Amino acid sequence: MSGKSAGDLRVRTTAAVADTRLRASLVNATDTFAERKDGATGQLADWDGLRAAGRAVRADVLAHLPDILGRFADNVLAAGGNVCWASSADDATRYIADVIARRGATEVVKSKSMTTEEIGLNHVLEAGGTRVTETDLGEWIIQLARETPSHIIVPAIHRDRHQIAEVLSQVADGDLAAVPEGLAAFAREKLRERFLAAGVGISGCNFGVADTGSVVLVTNEGNGRLVTSVPPVHIAVMGMERVVRSWDQLDLMISLLPRAATGQAITTYTSVITGPRKADETDGPEELHVVILDNGRSATLDSEFGEMLACIRCGACLNACPVYRVVGGHAYGSVFSGPMGAVYTPLLLPSQQADELPQASSLCGACWEACPVQIPLQDLLLAHRRRTSADDTSVAERLAWRAWATAWSKPRRYRTSLRAGRFGASLGFDHRGPAARWARTREAPALSKRTFRDRWEAGEV
Ligand code: SF4
């Protein structure tokens, strides 16, 4: 949420709604994910039971986080790796820049990581003169386009193949055809050069397994394996909440994550990295660093929003959200978008602009239904609204709500207000005055001429 004026959320959403190409790309992609997810979860006897088990695992981890994290870090060290406890984004980026400088590297390759987006790592490294190349195809596209991700697992979801061809043509000898296979082949060839030239590979970490100090990456492109094994140094950046106790807990998590994210029973690559390369191994990095990032998470854990840290970044709530599906991720103006972003961003980067995000929700609960670990996102959105309403709500709105509460707190007043409402609607007041802006993009249901009570008393129901 940087560099935007207070009114920007409305400006951004208005522009997004008017962008028919964006809306077509979003609907196309999110519908495909939803269909695949229905297929993948429909094959299971009890998807909701699995979600409940997932929620229980995440609750267990969050309740014992210091112990589990401590064991994870001990085992990373025991396996020959290094651990950095980073309390802030600055701590993390400084440590990573120091490792790169110490190794004399001038170039790094990265696999997709929202945690490195969160800490603005590319910006810091590039400002220090390091060449950074994103190697996930979607991330590379938005890096070349100088954009931020518009979806947590599909960063270039907002672009169609013609727009992608235009972006990739910037680094080609001529114009590339908008053919997905050709574009992927071009990216593969270009990125291979960067893997071989890089001195350091940087990845995220989907899960850390405390029992063995292992970093687990769940990816669909082979780039993650090249990032973590070709350069001599691998740095994994992990949000401190992304641990599990054991392989049993991991088993459940990697059953939930791909099904919820992309509708796959299993992702193409599940990579497990335990320490740097051993003497008898043929591949892997000489040096492994795990950066464990707090950056406000401890404070969140101790707050009423602690359950948000159960998030496994699957993106299912974005795909299900009727708001996200229309406006896309950039309208949120933050690294994290959709329902999870609207809850998480005000915690991560508290600001007046971030506090607007929880208002950008219909509170329909589709996000909760989609969430593989049953985070009650709509309750957390409401908690944000309660937290900020004292400051933000206008006098007129507060008076209107008070009048409504007064009117509907007694049966006689309730009936009178309905009669007044019907009369007002018959004169068109539901489309005029203060209601005009609301009604511009919505259709208020017509009030029935006879209430349920009238029909009940007449014996009709
Ligand atoms: S809140 Fe739930 S659905 Fe949304 S990204 Fe996180 S785990 Fe997935």
Side-chain angles (χ1 to χ4, degrees), residues 111-132:
S111 65
K112 201 178 97 51
S113 157
M114 289 306 290
T115 312
T116 62
E117 295 281 352
E118 174 189 325
I119 60 177
L121 182 61
N122 291 14
H123 179 69
V124 173
L125 297 185
E126 285 169 351
T130 303
R131 178 174 182 171
V132 180

Side-chain angles (χ1 to χ4, degrees), residues 152 257 260 308 310-318 339-341 367-368 370-375 377:
I152 60 177
L257 177 58
M308 194 60 225
C311 177
I312 57 173
R313 305 282 193 269
C314 70
C317 57
L318 282 67
M340 67 77 61
C367 47
W368 175 83
C371 180
V373 288
Q374 297 184 328
I375 299 174
L377 289 151

